[in-house]
Structure formats: C-alpha cells, structure tokens
Amino acid sequence: MACGSSDGSGRLRLLLELGCSLPSQELAVCSACPSPGRKQTVRRSKKQKNKSSERLSVPEDVSHACLWSGLGAARNHREVSPGVSTDVQVALDRILPELHLAISSMKQAAAPEALRKGIAEIFQLVEEAWVMPTLGRDVAKALCDVIRLEGGLDLLLNLLQGTELETKCQASKLLEQILVAENRDRIARVGLGVILNLTKERDSPQVARSLSGILEHMFKHTEETCFQLISDGGLDAILYWCRWTDLIVLRHCAMALANCAMYGGQANQRLMIEKNTAEWLFPLVFSKDDELIRLHACLAITVLATNKEIEKEVERSGTLALVEPFIASLDPERFACDLLDSSDNSQGRTAKDLQHLVPLLDSSRLEAQCIALFYLCTEAAIKARQKKTKIFSEIGAAQSLKRIVCYSTNTTASSLAKKALCMMGEEVPRRILPTVSSWKPIEVQTWLQQTGFNKYCQSFLEHEVDGDLLLRLSETDLWEDLGMASSIIRKRFFRELTELKTYANYSTCDRSNLADWLGSVDPKFRQYTYNLVTCGIDRNFLHRVTEEQLQEDCRINVGFHRVRILSAAREMLHSPLPCSGCKSTSEGPDVFISYRRSTGSQLAR
C-alpha cells in the first residue's frame, strides 16, 4: 500500500477495527507516518510496486485470509466504532466471524462445489442482513465493504469470466446483492467490461435474472458509467429483456431504465430515446402482472418527459398518458407493506435516491408530481416504521409537499402530498383558494398566517389589503406602509408571494389565457401574469410591447426574463396555430374511437 494513500490508511483502520490480522505486506508502513515508539520499515517487492491497482485479478494484499482473533469476550467490551450504533455493532460482532470464514472458504476452494458452497454462505449472510428491521442497511453495507476489502468482490469478477455456468450464475447473484455505492465504484473502475461481456449471454434465463439486477445498480453510478453502458450494449440488453415474461427480470429492467433516466443526465436521456426506450416502456407500464414493474416504468417515462428537448418524442409514444390513472389507483400504505415483506425492497431507498425525486415535485408536469409523490408517500410509510423520517427534512421534500397541498388542483397529487406529510410528522397546511385576485382581506389574513407572517396580520388588516393589492405589493409598500423593516423578512415575503403568483388561477381576469402561455415559456413566468393583465396586455398585444415597458409598467425586473418573454411572443406571432383549412390532405383524417372502461366513457384518438 502506497504511503500517504487515504484509501490505504482507511482500509488499514477498518480491517484493524474489525479484528483482522493483516498480511505482512499490509503491516509495512512508511517511516513518514507517525507511530510513536516503533521503528517503521517498508517492505515492498519490485513486483508489488509495478502491479496496477486497477488489475482485475485478486490483489495480493487481500488474497490471504485474515486471522480473526479477539472476537470472544474481549471484543464484547471494546468501544463501539465511531459512527456505528451499538445495535449495529452487536449485529456485526455476531455476523463478521461467520462472514470471514465463508470468504476464506471461497478463496481456498479447490473444487467448483466447494467454491459454490462458499458463495452460497456469503449470500445467505448478506441476504439476512438486508432484511433485518431498521438496522438492515447499515449492517449489510458493513458486510459488503468487508467483502470488497478482503478481495471477495474481485474474486467474483474473476469467476464471471469463467466457463462454468452454475458458478458464474451464483457469483453474479451474490454480486447483485453487494452493490453498495463503494462496490459500484470498484466495478466501474475495473469490472465494467466483465459485466458488459456477460450481456452476450443474455439469452440464458439464469444469467439474465442476476445480470439485469447488476445493470440496474450500475445505471445509478454516474453519467459516465451510464454512457458506457449505453454505448457498449448494456441498455440494449435491458431493452431485449423487456419482451420477456419473467417478472424478476422485468422488475430489474423497469428499475434499470428508471435509474438510467434519473442518474444519466440529459445527454444519456437523448440516447435512450434514440434506442426507442419510450416505446419499450409502454408494455411495462401497461402490464397487469406486477404493480412494481408498472411503477418503475412510470418513473422512467416520467423522468424522460421532464427533459424539454425530448418531451414531444416521449409524448408520442403514448406511454405517458398511462401514468396518472395508474398512480390514482394505488394505495401507498398497502404498497409500502408489500415492499416491507420483500427482501429486495424492505429497507426502502437511501437519502441520495430520494433526493433525485424532489425536483419532480416542482415539475410543471402532473405525471412527474404524481409519481414522485407516490414514491415519497410509500417511503414515508417505510421510514416511519424504521423511525427514520428525519431523512425527508434532510432532502428538503417537506416544503415542496406543502406547496402541492396549498396550490394543486389535482385530487391525486393533493391527497398523496397530505398523506406523505402526515407520515413524516409534518404539519399539513390548508388548501389556498387559487383565485387570489378575488380574495377579501380575511383570506389574505389566512395566507399570512399559513406562510408564517402572523406578526404583520394587523398591519395588513388596518390597510385593508385584499387579493388585488397583495398581488401588486412592492418592496416600498412593505417597508413604508406595512412596517416590514427587515430586508431579510421582505425577501422571505416576496419568495412566498412569488410562489403564490406562480400557482394562482387568473381565469377571472385573464381572458386570453396569458398565464398558461407564460407557463409554457417557463413555469416561473406565470408570476408575471397579473402585472401584464392589469396593464391591459393580452397574448395578441404582447409582441408590440417594448422591453422598457415590461420593466417600468409591468415591473418585470429581471432583464433575461424580459428578453425571453418578448422573444417567445414574436415567435408566436410568426408561428400561428394551423387552421383546419390549411391542413394537408396527406395527413389523413383524425379517427376517434369511443370505448368503455371502468372509469366511464373515454375518447381515444
């Protein structure tokens, strides 16, 4: 181990902490590293110095079994490791000796039967850890780290390159179970080629079950890893399996596509569309065999639709229209119970995974809001049982959920947001009437109380501030007339007021539907609707307005916003909606089919 390597020193500390007697190579330390009272030497052969750290074969320094000692009464009295709870430490003290013996057996096995027995023992220990109530994720992660640090992960990669099918399938099954973040890093560095080579055997049902799960995990690694997987056949294998009927494989495929969409970035989302991913998601979303497959597929198609560059192509697939009705038919609490009974999902999602759902809550697409709300609601039920609901405050989900309760007109979205907040232990706000311009002073008072400005209620009431005045307030009004002296409090107030303006309903005063047009340019531009309407501006007149007028008369102070609005208005002028008389006869007629469904009579085009 090279001197000064933070990874090396961290590894030494962890192995020593876990009670390992390290091989002699590891015990060699650099003289520059402080160790009071001990002479330090370095013993590294030339062969070791030249050996690449990225080599796929099992590293020499982890190819020997650690000699576990002191795991009896002496270990029971040692201090708990930093960052590890007492309950987790107790579980590790019980499981780690067995894991060590199983890893040693796997390494020393001379026959395939003995090798498979060692793999099976490790698999059982890890699987049992994952399903432990509350502690499962922490215990399983520690076991996965030990497997990597003792060379077990690299040994599995070597086995995947063998020719013996049964051993290869068992090794891939264990690899799927241990792909925590650090192990995904290792695979991405040295083993991605091994995984991609394995996709050539995609017709084998045994291989497909585990390999699809491995790809599911690797698609959430980084954008670069996603690109390599897409470029070298990983995505092709997933799409190939989408035509199968094996529910385990289809679950992995749906989640792999969702992970690629969520973690891959916009460039990889474009590549997904070029490979017709949206069309392949349709049978998964429409599947009646498994709700989990449908849910993951809905997440994948919804995330793709939030990318404006490919939104139209996603819509054309027809898959997106199935999302909101499906989510409305589900019960998140029952779904959470099913997940808790499943060994694959009993621990729920990590904070990092949930963080990727939060931007969907703020999307202008209803499908995105609904799918994110359902996942968060389900996760809230799981985390409530694990007493880990603080995770939602850490990722900032509560504020977006409260906004949806206040402003959403969709019953499904509002109901799910309320349930999620209740399970998180958060206060559920009252719904705000969307027709803000028609508010009476008493309704302004309610809004002030709900947004935390109770201190200024009396001042607003004395000045008889109604909805119309609220939407017109300036910073000078707040400071000089309403007594809001603190600039920080004024900023907070305008942040809440901007949100109110963005989600308000202007139908009583906006005859040309300017609000929705502004929202189509950018969702946050809806906040300017009332400023424009009260100046007598509608969609038909907007292209005649100057930038100076937008700033001085309509109080749109952000210059870039003014430019974008005027640019879009002029494009609208030169690109009018096609009339029926201009329609090309080559397009053919629209055909409408009326059919009966459980929700009543619907019209399909």
Side-chain angles (χ1 to χ4, degrees), residues 79 105 109 145 151 162 171 191 225 227 235-236 250 348 387 397 427 451 478 489 520 533 559 567 576 581 583:
E79 293 183 3
S105 298
D145 287 339
T225 300
F227 177 75
L235 180 59
D236 291 334
L250 290 177
K387 298 181 179 179
E427 181 183 355
T451 50
L478 289 179
I489 293 178
S520 69
V533 168
S567 177
K583 187 174 181 177

Side-chain angles (χ1 to χ4, degrees), residues 62-364:
V62 293
S63 62
H64 305 289
C66 290
L67 300 176
W68 291 74
S69 60
L71 290 171
R75 281 200 68 187
N76 292 335
H77 296 288
R78 70 181 178 83
E79 293 183 3
V80 176
S81 304
V84 178
S85 72
T86 304
D87 292 338
V88 171
Q89 190 65 59
V90 169
L92 290 175
D93 288 347
R94 176 175 56 82
I95 300 171
L96 284 173
E98 297 180 53
L99 178 64
H100 162 69
L101 293 174
I103 294 174
S104 297
S105 298
M106 182 177 70
K107 289 179 178 179
Q108 297 169 7
E113 295 79 10
L115 182 61
R116 289 196 292 269
K117 181 181 178 183
I119 295 174
E121 290 173 354
I122 297 172
F123 180 88
Q124 184 177 355
L125 291 171
V126 176
E127 187 178 45
E128 289 174 356
W130 277 118
V131 298
M132 290 176 65
T134 309
L135 308 176
R137 186 180 299 282
D138 295 330
V139 174
K141 184 182 182 304
L143 301 187
C144 295
D145 287 339
V146 170
I147 292 170
R148 180 186 73 257
L149 293 170
E150 290 197 26
L153 179 61
D154 288 353
L155 179 56
L156 291 175
L157 289 172
N158 279 334
L159 294 175
L160 292 180
Q161 299 177 82
T163 57
E164 215 278 309
L165 181 61
E166 189 174 352
T167 301
K168 187 185 298 185
C169 291
Q170 211 162 347
S172 63
K173 186 178 178 182
L174 174 56
L175 183 61
E176 179 197 343
Q177 280 284 321
I178 64 172
L179 284 181
V180 294
E182 293 81 359
N183 291 354
R184 291 197 296 270
D185 289 340
R186 179 68 178 166
I187 295 290
R189 289 200 308 272
V190 305
L192 207 56
V194 177
I195 304 303
L196 289 166
N197 284 336
L198 206 56
T199 61
K200 297 173 183 177
E201 303 177 39
R202 61 189 182 186
D203 287 315
S204 167
Q206 289 176 289
V207 172
R209 282 192 164 202
S210 297
L211 182 56
S212 57
I214 293 170
L215 290 171
E216 170 194 328
H217 289 291
M218 293 310 299
F219 270 118
K220 65 190 290 188
H221 182 243
T222 62
E223 292 186 19
E224 292 75 18
T225 300
C226 283
F227 177 75
Q228 189 172 347
L229 289 170
I230 293 172
S231 301
D232 296 337
L235 180 59
D236 291 334
I238 292 293
L239 296 177
Y240 175 79
W241 289 321
C242 283
R243 69 190 74 180
W244 286 23
T245 56
D246 187 310
L247 294 183
I248 293 177
V249 173
L250 290 177
R251 281 186 181 183
H252 288 317
C253 288
M255 196 64 233
L257 294 174
N259 285 341
C260 188
M262 289 181 69
Y263 297 87
Q266 293 191 345
N268 288 320
Q269 289 172 353
R270 164 55 65 184
L271 295 176
M272 292 178 72
I273 292 301
E274 290 174 0
K275 290 183 176 289
N276 299 318
T277 300
E279 286 74 15
W280 280 111
L281 283 166
F282 185 89
L284 298 183
V285 175
F286 204 77
S287 170
K288 302 296 183 183
D289 298 323
D290 188 278
E291 287 183 341
L292 198 56
I293 294 172
R294 298 180 70 185
L295 184 65
H296 294 333
C298 284
L299 176 60
I301 196 68
T302 302
V303 173
L304 290 174
T306 58
N307 182 343
K308 293 296 183 182
E309 294 181 4
I310 59 175
E311 183 179 22
K312 296 300 181 185
E313 293 157 274
V314 175
E315 289 175 344
R316 280 198 295 270
S317 72
T319 312
L320 201 60
L322 303 174
V323 175
E324 197 272 337
F326 170 62
I327 297 299
S329 70
L330 297 177
D331 178 0
E333 293 177 86
R334 180 189 63 77
F335 210 88
C337 291
D338 292 342
L339 292 180
L340 286 167
D341 293 336
S342 163
S343 60
D344 292 336
N345 300 286
S346 61
Q347 296 301 318
R349 290 172 169 254
T350 65
K352 183 179 179 182
D353 292 335
L354 294 175
Q355 183 72 64
H356 280 79
L357 294 171
V358 175
L360 298 181
L361 296 175
D362 300 321
S363 171
S364 58

Side-chain angles (χ1 to χ4, degrees), residues 360-575:
L360 298 181
L361 296 175
D362 300 321
S363 171
S364 58
R365 295 206 67 101
L366 176 62
E367 302 92 345
Q369 290 185 12
C370 286
I371 194 76
L373 285 166
F374 185 82
Y375 269 99
L376 288 170
C377 202
T378 302
E379 286 294 327
I382 294 173
K383 297 295 189 286
R385 295 192 181 195
Q386 298 173 342
K387 298 181 179 179
K388 294 182 177 180
T389 53
K390 288 184 178 179
I391 191 173
F392 298 103
S393 299
E394 294 169 3
I395 65 173
Q399 191 62 33
S400 294
L401 291 171
K402 290 178 180 179
R403 176 188 56 73
I404 290 172
V405 172
C406 288
Y407 301 113
S408 178
T409 57
N410 181 267
T411 305
T412 302
S414 180
S415 175
L416 287 172
K418 288 177 182 177
K419 286 182 180 179
L421 287 169
C422 286
M423 285 184 279
M424 293 174 190
E426 295 279 350
E427 181 183 355
V428 180
R430 286 180 291 178
R431 174 160 161 65
I432 293 175
L433 292 175
T435 53
V436 181
S437 60
S438 303
W439 280 3
K440 307 298 182 189
I442 190 63
E443 289 160 330
V444 174
Q445 295 290 297
T446 301
W447 178 78
L448 289 169
Q449 293 165 8
Q450 197 157 314
T451 50
F453 294 98
N454 308 53
K455 178 181 176 181
Y456 302 97
C457 284
Q458 187 60 36
S459 178
F460 274 70
L461 193 60
E462 289 174 358
H463 288 83
E464 297 183 1
V465 178
D466 56 13
D468 171 66
L469 291 175
L470 179 65
L471 293 173
R472 297 169 182 258
L473 283 178
S474 67
E475 188 160 2
T476 302
D477 297 332
L478 289 179
W479 189 0
E480 296 182 356
D481 298 326
L482 297 169
M484 202 173 287
S486 169
S487 62
I488 299 298
I489 293 178
R490 292 198 299 273
K491 284 183 172 66
R492 279 185 48 231
F493 180 88
F494 277 115
R495 183 177 64 190
E496 297 293 340
L497 183 57
T498 297
E499 186 170 90
L500 179 66
K501 290 179 177 181
T502 302
Y503 296 99
N505 184 333
Y506 299 99
S507 58
T508 57
C509 57
D510 180 19
R511 303 303 179 188
S512 67
N513 201 16
L514 183 60
D516 287 346
W517 179 83
L518 288 168
S520 69
V521 179
D522 191 309
K524 60 177 172 282
F525 288 176
R526 287 188 94 255
Q527 64 176 294
Y528 301 125
T529 303
Y530 203 65
N531 301 33
L532 294 166
V533 168
T534 51
C535 288
I537 299 172
D538 59 19
R539 288 178 63 176
N540 298 322
F541 189 76
L542 188 57
H543 67 277
R544 299 176 181 273
V545 177
T546 66
E547 186 178 350
E548 184 181 2
Q549 290 169 328
L550 285 182
Q551 181 177 14
E552 294 184 1
D553 300 334
C554 304
R555 291 186 293 141
I556 301 178
N557 296 319
V558 181
F560 185 64
H561 290 185
R562 297 194 299 269
V563 170
R564 286 190 62 191
I565 291 171
L566 290 177
S567 177
R570 285 156 191 161
E571 286 178 12
M572 176 179 64
L573 177 67
H574 297 298
S575 304

